[in-house]
Amino acid sequence: MTSRTVARSSAAAAFAALLVAAVASPAVAAPPSHAGGGAVESVIALPDGFQPEGIAIAPGGTAYFGSLANGDIYAADLKTGTGEIVSDGPGTPSVGLDLDAQGRLFVAGGPVGDARVVDPDSGEVLASYQLTTDPAFINDVIVTRDAAWFTNSQAAELYRLPIGPGGTLPDQSEVETVPLGGEWVQVPGFNANGIVETPDHQALLVVQTSTATLYRVDPATGDATAVDLGGASVPNGDGMLVIGRTLYVVQNQLNQVAVIRLDPSGTTGELVDTLTSPDFDVPTTVDSFGHGLVLPNARFGTPATPTTPYQAVRIDR
């Protein structure tokens, strides 16, 4: 296993000094017609006081970020660094984000136990769901072929929103609670965090932050099995991303990203690399664009004020 401090960007070496105001931000440029081409900013300035957590990147290079402060959704053009608030939040956090095939944003709602679906073009909330009324922190989301799955860091359960033909959204009554069982270990504190699909799309991978364990979860039963990482673990595991058979696990407080080579089923894996950057300041999750990874700096531990600056960082992968 190697460890690398990776370049911010092969296309842009200078720090992007773009301090964007939270309310009066410049407009996002229209997304290009192709993905991955052209220069990409190394550091994307987010609105002061924004408190970013989640990220989802559209194929054209528009990155969406959710605010822990008030739930606003901010869109930034990764090629220019310009951006704007595209959806006003409900006054409660927006945590994990994911885009579906229709370009809709699925948003995890954190401590209020809810989720919502947002049209990022209009800012309209298309649907809202109360996933649980018990103490909760709805943390992350992954959209699969037929459902959106959400984690709860305070309870040993996942939530499934079935997605019908043509992207039909479910009614509240169709929300499913899937208890985590099998080898899953629930402890006091923060538990289930990032969630992705296995490379073969047959199961889910969930990282348990407090125990530094990566689990493979059967979506039909909720039974969890610890992924055999050959003795390795993933302390401070947060958001995750799968590209092919490569799993990227953000380790927030460690300011690094674990790179794991998985077998197709996600049953076993090998820690093959660790990525870091001098620009990291407690990154929480990750998405990809072109040959790079983009991570928002949550800056946990830094006092959050209306003037605290926040950024997202692009690194090579």
Side-chain angles (χ1 to χ4, degrees):
M1 191 271 289
T2 62
S3 179
R4 289 186 289 144
T5 299
V6 293
R8 296 173 179 175
S9 171
S10 58
F15 189 98
L18 300 169
L19 295 179
V20 185
V23 178
S25 302
V28 178
S33 59
H34 59 286
V40 177
E41 293 293 326
S42 299
V43 177
I44 303 292
L46 304 177
D48 289 351
F50 190 74
Q51 299 181 50
E53 211 283 354
I55 183 175
I57 302 176
T62 298
Y64 299 99
F65 302 90
S67 170
L68 291 176
N70 59 13
D72 284 354
I73 304 296
Y74 182 81
D77 187 322
L78 294 177
K79 295 186 177 182
T80 66
T82 59
E84 65 177 348
I85 301 294
V86 295
S87 181
D88 292 331
T92 55
S94 290
V95 194
L97 307 176
D98 200 17
L99 287 160
D100 70 357
Q102 285 74 33
R104 300 173 297 192
L105 275 172
F106 287 69
V107 184
V112 291
D114 69 353
R116 68 187 191 279
V117 183
V118 175
D119 179 348
D121 293 328
S122 67
E124 178 186 0
V125 176
L126 303 175
S128 296
Y129 302 95
Q130 192 65 46
L131 303 181
T132 179
T133 57
D134 293 330
F137 191 87
I138 309 304
N139 197 322
D140 203 5
V141 55
I142 184 69
V143 181
T144 67
R145 179 183 57 83
D146 60 0
W149 290 86
F150 294 82
T151 59
N152 183 349
S153 297
Q154 300 298 322
E157 55 194 30
L158 304 177
Y159 308 98
R160 180 179 185 270
L161 300 185
I163 299 175
T168 303
L169 295 174
D171 296 327
Q172 173 68 46
S173 62
E174 298 176 86
V175 175
E176 303 172 27
T177 300
V178 181
L180 289 167
E183 297 178 6
W184 182 266
V185 177
Q186 188 81 1
V187 299
F190 226 59
N191 291 267
N193 199 325
I195 184 169
V196 292
E197 277 193 292
T198 54
D200 64 5
H201 305 289
Q202 298 303 303
L204 302 167
L205 296 171
V206 178
V207 66
Q208 217 287 21
T209 297
S210 290
T211 65
T213 307
L214 179 67
Y215 288 96
R216 182 185 187 274
V217 177
D218 183 336
T221 65
D223 284 349
T225 305
V227 178
D228 182 358
L229 298 180
S233 62
V234 281
N236 300 116
D238 203 328
M240 301 193 294
L241 173 69
V242 170
I243 301 176
R245 287 175 52 192
T246 300
L247 171 68
Y248 298 92
V249 183
V250 181
Q251 296 175 274
N252 52 34
Q253 298 288 347
L254 300 180
N255 285 313
Q256 65 186 34
V257 181
V259 184
I260 296 170
R261 182 68 172 171
L262 295 168
D263 75 319
S265 68
T267 304
T268 64
E270 179 186 4
L271 180 64
V272 296
D273 205 350
T274 301
L275 309 179
T276 188
S277 166
D279 293 321
F280 283 169
D281 193 351
V282 196
T284 46
T285 190
V286 59
D287 206 348
S288 66
F289 181 64
H291 298 291
L293 303 174
V294 183
L295 303 92
N297 278 333
R299 308 195 70 194
F300 294 149
T302 299
T305 73
T307 59
T308 302
Y310 291 94
Q311 309 84 21
V313 177
R314 190 270 189 196
I315 62 172
D316 295 326
R317 61 179 172 91

